[in-house]
């Protein structure tokens, strides 16, 4: 099946905004392929009308909706909630006024039965930890199941549907950076070492003690953080932190909070970063530490990354420097080892290896892989 000239509805647990993760990038990439893409935001209880559709481009549209029924039924009367959601979907479809060819659902909480959309193809694509049995049920009504790690996909072992791992991707901006550096992956360490982090600093899964230890132990190193550190410009949720960690970062003379940047500006600013850092704690609902979209973006730069153990990368030691176990106490020692020999860890050979991995995981290539899997595994009579 080729994803062109189709009407595609993407169901996302994260709203459209300045910050993009995989759902947003798939939407923009699919729109560029001449599909008519509708991006369904999570329920917006402040919306004055029931359903609104706003155009980002001529073929990329954002849908906001405020459920016509009490949303708390989802938690207290799921059967009633599911029944009423059938009518909510019909109202959304009437507003779209087009038949949905492909339903692409990243949200594992909103809908129990994906067939209520009447799409030719239903894709279930959870990229976050699946922890509840109700989050497994939507896969039963899907035509195909994708996820970003074996750990997440294993939750669906008993469901006899085609399933596959599709890694996180890189957008066109990171692709351009990777192609540029692939041709000239030189590196010469400066007297000033610069460490970078890109992401939502309000997320509760950030391992604050480890990051604080690394910063405190290396006052001669600059640490640069890109991403929201307050509720401003944060469309991804997760604002659950106390201000203590952010205040710590602000108080350090060698730490710089750069805020949210447009992609082109971000790429320009990270060009001088020597090391990238990503340290998450394991959290049942937010992070199983199996994969992260940031890692593929970091790899696109060619520069070395120090991180906690991510199981998806456990067999690729040269790509990301991480402990062999889940013992995060080893991370500061690994960080010291890397900064002591940066020219090795950022050698042309290792940079090319990281960049090649990233370029093999552009969203364009991920969509091609998904097209191939669907074509090979789903009855072609289903496809309109």
């Amino acid at each position: 099946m080729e994803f062109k000239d189709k009407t595609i509805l993407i169901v996302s647990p994260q709203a459209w905004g300045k910050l993009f993760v995989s759902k947003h990038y798939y939407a923009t990439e699919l729109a560029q392929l001449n599909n008519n893409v509708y991006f369904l935001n999570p329920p917006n209880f402040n919306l004055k009308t029931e359903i609104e559709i706003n155009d980002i481009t001529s073929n990329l549209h954002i849908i906001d909706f405020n459920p016509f029924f009490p949303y708390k039924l989802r938690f207290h009367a799921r059967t009633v909630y599911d029944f009423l959601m059938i009518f909510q979907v019909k109202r959304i479809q009437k507003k779209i006024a087009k038949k949905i060819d492909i339903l692409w659902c990243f949200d594992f909480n909103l809908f129990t039965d994906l067939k209520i959309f009447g799409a030719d193809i239903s894709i279930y694509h959870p990229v976050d930890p699946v922890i509840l049995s109700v989050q497994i049920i939507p896969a039963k009504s899907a035509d195909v199941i994708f996820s970003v790690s074996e750990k997440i996909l294993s939750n669906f072992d008993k469901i006899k549907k085609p399933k596959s791992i599709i890694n996180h991707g890189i957008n066109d901006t990171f692709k351009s950076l990777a192609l540029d550096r692939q041709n000239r992956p030189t590196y010469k360490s400066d007297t000033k070492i610069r460490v970078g982090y890109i992401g939502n600093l309000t997320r509760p899964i950030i391992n604050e003690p480890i990051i604080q230890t690394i910063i405190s132990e290396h006052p001669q190193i600059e640490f640069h953080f890109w991403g929201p550190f307050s509720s401003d410009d944060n469309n991804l949720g997760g604002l659950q932190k106390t201000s203590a960690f952010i205040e710590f970062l602000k108080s350090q003379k060698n730490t710089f909070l750069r805020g949210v940047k447009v992609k082109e500006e971000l790429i320009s600013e990270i060009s001088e970063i020597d090391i990238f850092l990503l340290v998450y704690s394991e959290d049942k609902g937010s992070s199983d530490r199996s994969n992260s979209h940031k890692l593929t973006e970091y790899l696109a730069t060619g520069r070395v990354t120090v991180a906690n153990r991510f199981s998806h990368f456990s067999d690729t030691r040269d790509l990301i420097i991480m402990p062999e176990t889940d013992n995060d106490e080893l991370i500061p020692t690994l960080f010291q080892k890397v900064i002591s020999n940066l020219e090795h860890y950022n050698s042309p050979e290792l940079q090319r290896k990281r960049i090649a991995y990233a370029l093999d995981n552009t969203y364009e290539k991920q969509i091609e892989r998904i097209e191939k899997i669907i074509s090979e595994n789903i009855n072609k009579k289903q496809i309109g």
Side-chain angles (χ1 to χ4, degrees):
M1 181 184 193
E2 190 175 26
F3 289 169
K4 287 186 179 178
D5 303 314
K6 300 291 191 297
T7 297
I8 302 175
L9 176 63
I10 291 180
V11 181
S12 172
Q14 286 93 29
W16 193 270
K18 291 185 177 181
L19 297 177
F20 277 23
V21 286
S22 54
K23 303 90 176 173
H24 308 82
Y25 288 124
Y26 274 111
T28 55
E29 188 69 35
L30 289 164
Q32 289 171 13
L33 292 172
N34 204 39
N35 294 290
N36 200 14
V37 179
Y38 290 85
F39 187 95
L40 182 65
N41 279 335
N44 181 352
F45 305 111
N46 296 317
L47 196 66
K48 294 182 180 180
T49 57
E50 184 187 335
I51 302 169
E52 288 184 3
I53 299 181
N54 294 291
D55 298 336
I56 301 299
T57 65
S58 60
N59 59 343
L60 177 56
H61 323 276
I62 310 304
I63 305 176
D64 286 292
F65 78 106
N66 190 345
F68 73 89
F69 58 89
Y71 192 69
K72 63 183 179 181
L73 289 172
R74 177 190 145 197
F75 308 99
H76 304 291
R78 184 74 194 206
T79 302
V80 177
Y81 166 89
D82 289 338
F83 177 73
L84 293 173
M85 190 55 82
I86 295 173
F87 298 95
Q88 182 69 74
V89 166
K90 287 182 178 178
R91 295 184 186 201
I92 293 171
Q93 287 176 309
K94 185 177 180 181
K95 194 78 171 178
I96 293 174
K98 294 181 180 69
K99 182 186 182 301
I100 298 169
D101 297 311
I102 301 165
L103 173 69
W104 201 320
C105 185
F106 291 93
D107 193 317
F108 45 40
N109 292 314
L110 200 57
F111 302 109
T112 302
D113 183 2
L114 303 185
K115 292 301 182 185
I116 63 176
F117 289 89
D120 292 332
I121 299 293
S122 296
I123 299 170
Y124 191 44
H125 198 154
V127 298
D128 298 306
V130 174
I131 59 173
L132 302 173
S133 59
V134 72
Q135 297 169 338
I136 298 174
I137 294 174
K140 296 178 180 179
S141 58
D143 295 299
V144 63
I145 307 164
F146 299 113
S147 193
V148 294
S149 72
E150 184 61 44
K151 191 171 185 178
I152 297 175
L153 206 61
S154 66
N155 291 281
F156 307 99
D157 284 346
K158 294 182 179 179
I159 297 178
K160 304 306 179 184
K161 295 291 180 71
K163 55 183 75 73
S164 184
I165 295 173
I166 300 292
N167 192 27
H168 287 295
I170 57 170
N171 61 50
D172 288 344
T173 310
F174 274 95
K175 177 183 175 181
S176 296
L177 172 66
L179 288 170
D180 181 57
R181 287 198 168 172
Q182 186 181 48
N183 295 327
R184 47 181 188 84
T186 57
Y187 179 78
K188 186 172 178 60
S189 57
D190 198 349
T191 54
K192 176 69 71 175
I193 296 174
R194 299 171 181 86
V195 177
Y197 171 92
I198 306 169
N200 184 359
L201 289 170
T202 69
R203 294 196 72 186
I205 62 172
I206 295 175
N207 192 324
E208 299 173 8
I210 296 298
I211 292 178
Q212 289 175 340
T213 296
I214 291 173
I215 292 173
S216 298
E217 289 181 350
H218 300 92
Q220 78 283 9
I221 292 177
E222 289 184 0
F223 293 84
H224 298 261
F225 293 84
W226 285 271
F229 48 88
S230 70
S231 58
D232 297 338
D233 298 327
N234 182 7
N235 57 287
L236 300 183
L239 189 64
Q240 303 173 37
K241 282 191 172 299
T242 63
S243 60
F245 178 59
I246 303 301
E247 291 306 313
F248 167 81
L249 295 179
K250 289 180 177 178
S251 70
Q252 303 303 297
K253 293 181 179 179
N254 60 331
T255 300
F256 305 89
L257 299 181
R258 312 297 289 269
V260 178
K261 304 289 184 179
V262 298
K263 293 190 290 291
E264 293 76 14
E265 190 176 3
L266 173 65
I267 292 297
S268 175
E269 292 186 3
I270 67 173
S271 62
E272 295 184 351
I273 293 300
D274 303 289
I275 311 170
F276 286 94
L277 187 64
L278 186 63
V279 188
Y280 283 166
S281 299
E282 187 160 4
D283 180 86
K284 185 177 180 182
S286 300
S287 174
D288 60 5
R289 307 209 298 185
S290 62
N291 203 346
S292 170
H293 77 276
K294 293 187 190 69
L295 293 173
T296 312
E297 292 180 342
Y298 287 176
L299 290 169
T301 71
R303 301 296 196 251
V304 62
T305 294
V306 176
N308 58 264
R309 183 179 182 273
F310 285 91
S311 59
H312 183 72
F313 290 91
S314 60
D315 296 329
T316 53
R317 296 300 181 194
D318 289 338
L319 293 179
I320 297 165
I321 307 304
M322 57 187 184
E324 294 185 4
T325 68
D326 289 326
N327 183 3
D328 291 354
E329 299 300 320
L330 299 174
I331 296 173
T333 302
L334 282 178
F335 183 84
Q336 179 61 51
K337 180 180 178 181
V338 170
I339 65 171
S340 298
N341 197 1
L342 263 180
E343 294 204 12
H344 164 70
Y345 287 101
N346 283 334
S347 66
E349 178 186 1
L350 291 179
Q351 288 198 71
R352 285 195 184 95
K353 186 173 182 179
R354 296 175 192 128
I355 290 169
Y357 181 94
L359 289 174
D360 191 46
N361 286 277
T362 63
Y363 281 102
E364 179 183 9
K365 289 189 176 181
Q366 307 304 44
I367 288 172
E368 289 174 356
R369 291 183 175 110
I370 290 169
E371 288 175 336
K372 186 172 186 290
I373 290 167
I374 289 176
S375 295
E376 291 177 348
N377 289 279
I378 298 177
N379 189 333
K380 292 183 179 179
K381 291 182 180 180
Q382 290 182 248
I383 302 170

